[in-house]
Amino acid sequence: PRVNFISYDGREHPVDVPEGTTLMRAATDNGVPGIDGDCGGQCACATCHVYIEPPWDTLTGTRTGSENEMLNFSACLRDDSSRLGCQIPITAALDGIVVKLPEGQH
Ligand code: FES
């Protein structure tokens, strides 16, 4: 499936990844700037903070409890669209998803 990452400055970074790849890996494996993933996807660092806006938010499900807590430790501004990229695996249903990125994670 295709993931359309959008940098804070509006630049588009489309990548194609295998199903099951998390948004965090999709970005880090393809050199997309603005997302780190320091903990390797353990929901323990909050450096994979991304923003998922409608209509995609309904397809990516809801935050887990630990994801919700970890987002409070993120260096980036948190809002209703905030998610941790390592907690969202890409499925066929998410083909074409738009994922907005913060300027940086620190
Ligand atoms: Fe650490 Fe997502 S990669 S919380």
Side-chain angles (χ1 to χ4, degrees):
R2 163 77 49 109
V3 180
N4 294 306
F5 289 105
I6 312 282
S7 296
Y8 72 101
D9 59 3
R11 272 184 302 144
E12 297 180 17
H13 304 271
V15 300
D16 291 299
V17 295
E19 275 192 72
T21 308
T22 66
L23 286 180
M24 182 275 282
R25 287 276 176 229
T28 56
D29 288 355
N30 289 286
V32 176
I35 185 162
D36 293 348
D38 289 344
C39 77
Q42 301 303 307
C43 198
C45 72
T47 64
C48 61
H49 192 154
V50 298
Y51 304 100
I52 313 271
E53 296 174 348
W56 298 104
D57 57 341
T58 53
L59 293 170
T60 48
T62 51
R63 298 176 194 125
T64 64
S66 52
E67 179 184 357
N68 198 39
E69 275 176 40
M70 195 50 59
L71 278 165
N72 289 331
F73 296 101
S74 172
C76 320
L77 194 66
R78 177 184 181 154
D79 70 19
D80 287 347
S81 68
S82 292
R83 294 294 308 266
L84 291 180
C86 69
Q87 300 302 302
I88 301 175
I90 296 301
T91 61
L94 294 176
D95 182 40
I97 188 172
V98 175
V99 179
K100 293 194 175 172
L101 299 167
E103 184 168 359
Q105 301 281 347
H106 294 281

